[in-house]
Amino acid sequence: MVGKEGKEGKEGKEGKASKLSIQLKTPKGTRDCEFLEARWSDKIFKEITEVFKRHGGTQLDTPVFELKEILAGKYGEDSRLIYDLADQGGEDCALRYDLTVPLARWLAMNSSVQHLKRYHIAKVYRRDQPASRMREFYQCDFDIAGTYDPMIPDAEILRIIVEVFEALGLRDDITIKLNHRKILDGLFAVAGVPEDKTRSISSAVDKLDKLPWAEVKAEMEEKGLAPEVADKIGEYVKLNGGKDLLETLKADAHICANEDVSKGLEQMELLFRYTDAFNVTDKISFDLSLARGLDYYTGVIFEIVTALSPPDDFAPSKKSSYKPKKSGDNDEDRSDDPTLGVGSIAAGGRYDNLVNMFSKKRQIPCVGISFGVDRIFTIMKQRLEKQQKEGTAVVRSSEVDVFIMAFGGKGFTGLLPERMAVANQLWEAGIKAEFAPSVKPRLPQQFKLAEAGGVPLAVILGEDELAAGNVKLKILGLPEGHPDKEGSLVSRDNLPAEIKKLLATLPL
Amino acid sequence: MVGKEGKEGKEGKEGKASKLSIQLKTPKGTRDCEFLEARWSDKIFKEITEVFKRHGGTQLDTPVFELKEILAGKYGEDSRLIYDLADQGGEDCALRYDLTVPLARWLAMNSSVQHLKRYHIAKVYRRDQPASRMREFYQCDFDIAGTYDPMIPDAEILRIIVEVFEALGLRDDITIKLNHRKILDGLFAVAGVPEDKTRSISSAVDKLDKLPWAEVKAEMEEKGLAPEVADKIGEYVKLNGGKDLLETLKADAHICANEDVSKGLEQMELLFRYTDAFNVTDKISFDLSLARGLDYYTGVIFEIVTALSPPDDFAPSKKSSYKPKKSGDNDEDRSDDPTLGVGSIAAGGRYDNLVNMFSKKRQIPCVGISFGVDRIFTIMKQRLEKQQKEGTAVVRSSEVDVFIMAFGGKGFTGLLPERMAVANQLWEAGIKAEFAPSVKPRLPQQFKLAEAGGVPLAVILGEDELAAGNVKLKILGLPEGHPDKEGSLVSRDNLPAEIKKLLATLPL
């Protein structure tokens, strides 16, 4: 139950005006998630969890902070975004930056575990600078660890991605951008990138979804690449498509002479065979410009982008709808790409050596996906608000089904113990019920409370009816003249059963 | 899916043995919650959430850290247990210590909210010293904010406490220790405690569940109380009982001359009337020794204790079962009290002035309860493990219902695309399914994987059967000679429906 009165604004206005020196706000980059939004988030988590469980996922819940040395050296340039805990004596700790490194730490600690499908839904922490960026946000991760025949778990992860967005009603709105680190690294080698520059050039390529080619090329030259080497890279990273692109690359003898490229292409071919069996190949765009920032990926990498306009919170200066480019598309200006400043709504890949960074004796290959739920949420929210307005979906902030009221003439006592006893009877039957927390509430006040909570049913107590063992049960909000408007008398004993019968007929 | 092989131990043994300098462990006072435990925790959270929703609760999710000044001055001596974030530029922040202060901060910020029933299930952080104490643990909070007629929300909180433990199957094992700050403060005044010592003497009394009276008395004298004043307090704080104690105190003209005492007793009388209507008076022990450490309580206070033996993690040196003392019981040795070193499994009270500490213009009374889920969990775990052993409850670490296998003679291809396609068919029907992630798995290996996951059903593909559009469906783990042991042939098209029918007959 939430009751607001008057027209006073929220958002800490009073706090700011207060003479106390305390600033009434949440820390920068964090927010309170309230009521209806929390219920919507729960709905999304539940849908995603269902998919994870359907694929044999089990839950692993790790602490919100880790020893600092566990996180050290895992995030490249972004390590500066890690939140440290203060030194108050004892161990040096830091808030988790993602859910992947804690999983790898766990796998290193539990060396008897040879196979694992685990999911984890929790908040992660990044001291990101742009004002609009959240510094605390949810991730939903699913990872498959263990040695299997090639590309089988990779394909299942892609299937899970599609199933999650299917469950959220967004299947038609997403594209999985897919690439392979081996292909990318091999192409760099063919183009003439020195081996020690592979990762830094890769991170330049990764900016192609935010910057035009000219700027990315400039960065490559700054990083010490000859312009003609950069141009060679440019020829390839502009390519994207589906299985057709795979065929084009396989026919390119020059690049296929490189062992990494040919190995990567072979794996991609196998992967497409499996995504065919899983019926998700249509959602994949093989995109050579996808590089992913993190160092630890070793195989397939993917990012999920959406054609839906990004929410204001994450909006770039320009908005437009995203169209996956066709193979060979030469458009260098990507400023109309909604991923500009928005980022992907899910991302992941294969990381076969991360666990080994923690324990030299332990080698357990992994592949996983991380859903950025807050971004998905803002997209879903627009949709849910629209449905709410249209009346095609009803999401109430509380879930109370019955409001228990009392009325009476002169000498009316308020029937509080009686209302409490009826509430008790309903609670014991598992029915969600409330009553006005006053000794002698007026009837209009009780209706107002029920209405404010969107409660669908009322049980009304009157002294005469109670004496005869009856109460009135009615549906709230029916129009005048509706045959059920007046409700009906029900015996106290049958009340829970009658309520359950009535609730089953309502569109809740 | 979790697969462990060999007999190698866990708990970071390999990590410790590793030559890397990285310590493979979670920070002190934190732990990983794994698989089966995570599922059990989820079950408990779900039960508790159901009760909260039944009473009109809505969810409010606040950030894991708050501005430091929000937490300052709220926790008395325990403020030293707050985890600070490091100063990395920007605001001074600290991890939340409980879920109550963030709620009060939110209520101060949102001044248009006049009534609220909110719940919040999340981890809180305390730099507690004893080796066995957790520093990161879950709390489940339910609070009612707003001005109502006296004691109605207080009684509903007590009802919620009983309902939660009822839902967890622990109703018979708990006692709600209940007291009223006004009565306690008034008694102190009557005994001759100077007003400025009220809170510090109160915190001494609060130790009575851990220390014998002699030690508590010594602390009072150290805090500057005359021995005869302490003895007078001693006479009262040894009292506990039910409504009978209320009558005893009401008949004591000496203490009832104090306005706080008489006001407090009047409220307690009203409260007992309402708990009668809610049918929970039998669970209440009115206990004058209950004081609660936190400064901010202003009315009723309560702590829930259990007769169940505490788990080893929280065990004191001596264990025995707790018997609520009868009114007038003179036993000063409380060393056999399981709350010694264990603490309560839930606690709460009324705090009418906390929001006002944030915003002078805002006065919104609150009452709430906080469930210590980790402690409840360790009790439930013993019970669930026992049921699991007895076979009266089955909780599998993963929820997979179907394992898809293939077999064949000479030239067996492994039927991987076919197994994938069947998995896909089942996933699309919402059925939880897995298959061996190998191109050509041997049949015994597939049965082993299914068995390890406790999967109840198998779908077995053979080339001849597939060619005829059929697969075999069988229940796993049936004894030899059982009429259904061999399973039956089912058409591919009917497979999802047949599986759902079969699952409905199994005790899962």
Side-chain angles (χ1 to χ4, degrees):
Chain A
M1 185 176 74
V2 190
K4 294 195 183 189
E5 278 173 21
K7 295 191 178 175
E8 206 170 346
K10 301 197 329 171
E11 304 301 337
K13 272 176 200 156
E14 175 165 347
K16 278 170 200 157
S18 160
K19 274 174 196 152
L20 288 175
S21 60
I22 295 182
Q23 258 195 304
L24 277 180
K25 63 187 274 301
T26 60
K28 190 181 165 192
T30 70
R31 55 190 283 274
D32 298 316
C33 180
E34 303 170 2
F35 320 126
L36 200 58
E37 283 202 4
R39 278 201 67 191
W40 283 341
S41 297
D42 266 1
K43 259 174 91 93
I44 294 175
F45 291 149
K46 219 181 131 198
E47 297 282 5
I48 295 178
T49 306
E50 268 310 297
V51 175
F52 289 170
K53 287 181 181 173
R54 204 183 291 153
H55 287 264
T58 59
Q59 213 184 327
L60 178 66
D61 184 18
T62 63
V64 83
F65 50 84
E66 294 277 343
L67 295 180
K68 239 175 180 170
E69 56 187 7
I70 297 286
L71 305 189
K74 307 296 183 306
Y75 303 109
E77 291 172 11
D78 285 345
S79 290
R80 73 199 147 78
L81 303 184
I82 293 175
Y83 273 100
D84 293 333
L85 293 191
D87 178 7
Q88 293 170 292
E91 302 160 328
D92 283 337
C93 298
L95 298 186
R96 63 182 163 219
Y97 179 88
D98 63 12
L99 304 175
T100 310
V101 167
L103 167 64
R105 188 262 306 149
W106 186 90
L107 285 168
M109 273 171 68
N110 294 273
S111 50
S112 62
V113 174
Q114 295 301 322
H115 300 102
L116 177 69
K117 282 179 172 176
R118 90 86 175 76
Y119 69 89
H120 191 188
I121 298 182
K123 287 173 175 175
V124 300
Y125 299 87
R126 299 179 187 181
R127 298 176 48 257
D128 227 339
Q129 278 313 325
S132 63
R133 283 292 185 91
M134 294 312 287
R135 293 170 157 219
E136 174 183 60
F137 55 95
Y138 275 102
Q139 285 197 334
C140 290
D141 279 29
F142 188 99
D143 293 79
I144 303 179
T147 304
Y148 303 95
D149 281 343
M151 309 317 280
I152 301 179
D154 311 64
E156 186 165 5
I157 292 286
L158 296 175
R159 169 72 208 175
I160 288 169
I161 293 168
V162 175
E163 256 178 73
V164 161
F165 287 107
E166 170 104 48
L168 299 175
L170 296 170
R171 189 193 204 277
D172 294 341
D173 305 304
I174 58 121
T175 299
I176 303 173
K177 289 204 228 174
L178 183 76
N179 200 2
H180 197 298
R181 271 277 166 93
K182 273 203 189 316
I183 298 176
L184 205 58
D185 291 359
L187 284 174
F188 290 166
V190 172
V193 176
E195 212 185 315
D196 64 336
K197 288 203 164 48
T198 305
R199 283 281 70 76
S200 78
I201 295 307
S202 180
S203 108
V205 167
D206 194 52
K207 293 173 184 156
L208 270 175
D209 61 347
K210 302 190 187 78
L211 300 174
W213 167 248
E215 285 187 44
V216 170
K217 185 184 170 187
E219 181 177 330
M220 289 179 174
E221 291 180 31
E222 237 168 71
K223 284 176 169 171
L225 226 56
E228 59 275 17
V229 174
D231 281 335
K232 265 193 200 159
I233 295 173
E235 276 170 42
Y236 285 106
V237 297
K238 282 172 201 161
L239 302 178
N240 62 53
K243 276 193 274 190
D244 54 325
L245 176 56
L246 188 64
E247 294 309 317
T248 311
L249 295 174
K250 271 170 62 190
D252 187 333
H254 179 55
I255 58 167
C256 288
N258 178 285
E259 203 185 331
D260 279 343
V261 172
S262 78
K263 183 93 198 266
L265 289 174
E266 193 186 296
Q267 291 195 347
M268 286 294 285
E269 194 169 10
L270 194 56
L271 181 65
F272 274 123
R273 208 177 307 151
Y274 295 156
T275 56
D276 280 350
F278 283 154
N279 199 22
V280 295
T281 308
D282 63 310
K283 300 310 299 173
I284 295 170
S285 165
F286 182 13
D287 187 328
L288 287 178
S289 76
L290 180 72
R292 304 278 300 127
L294 291 172
D295 286 357
Y296 54 62
Y297 290 115
T298 55
V300 288
I301 44 179
F302 29 82
E303 240 177 60
I304 290 75
V305 294
T306 174
L308 294 174
S309 64
D312 284 347
D313 283 1
F314 305 100
S317 47
K318 276 172 78 177
K319 285 192 208 173
S320 86
S321 66
Y322 171 78
K323 288 178 229 87
K325 287 185 297 176
K326 293 279 171 294
S327 176
D329 186 333
N330 257 330
D331 180 13
E332 286 189 3
D333 176 13
R334 303 185 60 148
S335 62
D336 65 346
D337 181 336
T339 60
L340 181 76
V342 179
S344 51
I345 53 173
R350 173 165 284 284
Y351 49 101
D352 286 350
N353 299 326
L354 186 58
V355 177
N356 184 246
M357 288 175 75
F358 290 113
S359 173
K360 287 269 172 272
K361 282 188 280 179
R362 180 96 159 119
Q363 186 86 37
I364 182 165
C366 302
V367 60
I369 176 73
S370 179
F371 294 89
V373 198
D374 295 69
R375 285 175 177 177
I376 294 170
F377 174 73
T378 38
I379 291 170
M380 298 285 292
K381 195 180 149 189
Q382 294 171 336
R383 183 168 294 194
L384 280 163
E385 279 172 348
K386 193 162 159 268
Q387 289 173 342
Q388 187 101 336
K389 257 184 217 154
E390 289 165 352
T392 51
V394 185
V395 185
R396 296 177 282 144
S397 67
S398 106
E399 296 180 25
V400 172
D401 287 325
V402 182
F403 204 95
I404 300 149
M405 312 181 180
F407 79 101
K410 222 177 149 184
F412 174 56
T413 60
L415 297 173
L416 178 59
E418 290 80 2
R419 284 182 285 138
M420 285 177 155
V422 171
N424 218 39
Q425 185 192 8
L426 301 189
W427 292 332
E428 275 172 4
I431 293 168
K432 301 180 182 94
E434 280 192 303
F435 56 90
S438 319
V439 175
K440 264 196 251 183
R442 289 174 308 113
L443 198 58
Q445 180 197 347
Q446 298 176 76
F447 274 106
K448 208 179 135 194
L449 281 171
E451 199 187 330
V455 182
L457 298 183
V459 168
I460 306 177
L461 316 189
E463 274 174 9
D464 296 346
E465 291 84 351
L466 271 181
N470 294 326
V471 297
K472 185 172 259 186
L473 175 61
K474 66 188 273 183
I475 300 172
L476 292 170
L478 291 179
E480 288 301 333
H482 190 286
D484 297 332
K485 177 82 182 167
E486 280 312 300
S488 55
L489 270 189
V490 172
S491 104
R492 267 286 305 265
D493 297 341
N494 292 340
L495 186 58
E498 292 292 330
I499 286 171
K500 285 178 184 175
K501 228 190 309 179
L502 203 51
L503 282 174
T505 68
L506 296 179
L508 293 177
Chain B
M1 185 176 75
V2 190
K4 293 195 183 190
E5 278 173 22
K7 294 192 178 174
E8 204 170 346
K10 300 197 331 170
E11 304 302 335
K13 273 175 200 156
E14 176 165 344
K16 277 170 201 156
S18 160
K19 275 174 197 153
L20 288 176
S21 60
I22 294 182
Q23 259 195 302
L24 277 181
K25 63 187 273 301
T26 60
K28 189 180 167 192
T30 69
R31 56 190 283 274
D32 298 316
C33 180
E34 303 168 3
F35 320 126
L36 200 59
E37 283 202 3
R39 278 201 67 191
W40 282 341
S41 297
D42 267 0
K43 258 175 90 94
I44 295 175
F45 292 150
K46 218 180 132 201
E47 297 282 6
I48 296 179
T49 306
E50 268 310 296
V51 175
F52 289 169
K53 287 181 180 173
R54 203 184 290 154
H55 287 263
T58 59
Q59 213 185 328
L60 179 65
D61 182 20
T62 62
V64 83
F65 50 84
E66 294 276 344
L67 294 180
K68 240 174 178 171
E69 57 187 5
I70 297 286
L71 305 189
K74 306 298 183 305
Y75 303 108
E77 291 172 11
D78 285 345
S79 290
R80 74 200 146 78
L81 303 184
I82 293 174
Y83 274 100
D84 293 333
L85 293 191
D87 179 6
Q88 294 169 291
E91 300 160 329
D92 283 338
C93 298
L95 298 186
R96 63 182 163 219
Y97 179 89
D98 63 13
L99 304 174
T100 310
V101 167
L103 168 65
R105 187 262 306 149
W106 186 89
L107 285 167
M109 273 172 68
N110 293 273
S111 50
S112 62
V113 174
Q114 295 300 323
H115 300 102
L116 177 68
K117 282 179 173 175
R118 90 85 176 77
Y119 68 90
H120 191 187
I121 298 181
K123 287 174 175 174
V124 300
Y125 299 87
R126 299 180 186 180
R127 297 176 49 257
D128 229 339
Q129 278 313 326
S132 63
R133 283 292 184 91
M134 294 311 288
R135 293 170 157 218
E136 173 184 61
F137 55 96
Y138 274 102
Q139 285 197 333
C140 291
D141 279 28
F142 188 97
D143 294 79
I144 303 179
T147 305
Y148 302 95
D149 282 344
M151 309 317 282
I152 302 179
D154 310 65
E156 186 165 5
I157 292 286
L158 296 175
R159 169 75 207 175
I160 288 169
I161 293 168
V162 175
E163 256 177 72
V164 161
F165 288 106
E166 169 105 49
L168 300 175
L170 297 171
R171 190 195 203 275
D172 294 342
D173 303 304
I174 59 122
T175 300
I176 303 173
K177 289 205 229 173
L178 184 74
N179 199 2
H180 196 298
R181 270 277 167 93
K182 273 202 189 316
I183 298 177
L184 205 58
D185 291 358
L187 284 174
F188 290 166
V190 171
V193 177
E195 213 185 314
D196 63 337
K197 289 202 163 49
T198 304
R199 283 281 70 76
S200 78
I201 295 305
S202 181
S203 107
V205 167
D206 195 51
K207 294 173 184 156
L208 270 176
D209 62 346
K210 302 190 188 79
L211 300 175
W213 167 248
E215 285 186 44
V216 170
K217 187 184 169 187
E219 181 177 331
M220 289 180 174
E221 290 180 33
E222 238 168 70
K223 284 176 170 171
L225 226 56
E228 60 275 17
V229 174
D231 282 334
K232 263 195 200 159
I233 294 173
E235 276 170 42
Y236 285 105
V237 296
K238 284 171 200 160
L239 302 178
N240 62 53
K243 277 194 273 189
D244 53 325
L245 176 57
L246 188 64
E247 294 309 316
T248 312
L249 295 174
K250 271 171 63 189
D252 187 333
H254 179 56
I255 59 167
C256 289
N258 178 285
E259 204 185 329
D260 277 344
V261 171
S262 77
K263 183 91 199 266
L265 289 175
E266 193 185 296
Q267 290 195 346
M268 286 295 285
E269 194 169 10
L270 193 57
L271 182 64
F272 274 124
R273 208 176 307 152
Y274 295 155
T275 56
D276 280 350
F278 283 153
N279 198 22
V280 294
T281 307
D282 63 310
K283 299 311 299 172
I284 296 170
S285 165
F286 182 13
D287 187 329
L288 286 179
S289 75
L290 179 72
R292 305 278 299 125
L294 291 172
D295 287 355
Y296 54 63
Y297 289 116
T298 55
V300 289
I301 44 180
F302 29 83
E303 241 177 60
I304 290 75
V305 294
T306 174
L308 295 174
S309 63
D312 284 347
D313 283 1
F314 306 100
S317 47
K318 276 172 79 176
K319 284 192 210 173
S320 87
S321 66
Y322 171 78
K323 289 179 228 87
K325 288 186 298 177
K326 292 280 170 293
S327 175
D329 186 333
N330 257 330
D331 180 13
E332 286 190 4
D333 176 15
R334 303 186 59 148
S335 63
D336 65 348
D337 182 336
T339 60
L340 181 76
V342 180
S344 50
I345 52 174
R350 173 164 286 284
Y351 50 101
D352 286 349
N353 300 325
L354 185 58
V355 177
N356 184 247
M357 287 175 77
F358 290 113
S359 173
K360 287 270 172 271
K361 283 187 281 179
R362 179 97 159 118
Q363 186 86 39
I364 182 165
C366 302
V367 59
I369 176 72
S370 180
F371 295 89
V373 198
D374 295 69
R375 285 176 178 177
I376 295 170
F377 174 74
T378 38
I379 291 169
M380 298 285 292
K381 195 181 150 189
Q382 294 173 337
R383 183 167 294 194
L384 281 163
E385 279 171 347
K386 191 161 161 268
Q387 290 172 341
Q388 187 100 337
K389 258 184 218 154
E390 290 165 352
T392 51
V394 185
V395 186
R396 295 178 283 144
S397 67
S398 108
E399 297 180 26
V400 172
D401 287 325
V402 183
F403 204 94
I404 300 151
M405 312 181 180
F407 79 101
K410 220 178 152 184
F412 175 55
T413 61
L415 297 172
L416 177 59
E418 289 80 1
R419 284 182 284 138
M420 285 177 156
V422 170
N424 218 40
Q425 184 192 9
L426 301 189
W427 292 331
E428 274 171 6
I431 294 168
K432 303 180 181 95
E434 281 192 302
F435 55 89
S438 319
V439 174
K440 265 195 252 182
R442 289 174 307 113
L443 198 58
Q445 181 196 347
Q446 298 177 76
F447 274 107
K448 207 178 135 194
L449 282 171
E451 199 188 328
V455 182
L457 298 184
V459 168
I460 306 177
L461 315 189
E463 273 173 11
D464 296 345
E465 291 84 352
L466 271 180
N470 294 325
V471 297
K472 185 171 259 186
L473 174 61
K474 66 187 273 183
I475 300 172
L476 291 171
L478 290 180
E480 288 300 333
H482 190 287
D484 297 332
K485 176 83 183 167
E486 280 313 299
S488 55
L489 271 191
V490 172
S491 103
R492 269 282 309 261
D493 296 342
N494 291 339
L495 186 58
E498 292 292 332
I499 286 171
K500 285 179 184 175
K501 229 189 314 179
L502 202 51
L503 283 174
T505 69
L506 295 179
L508 294 177

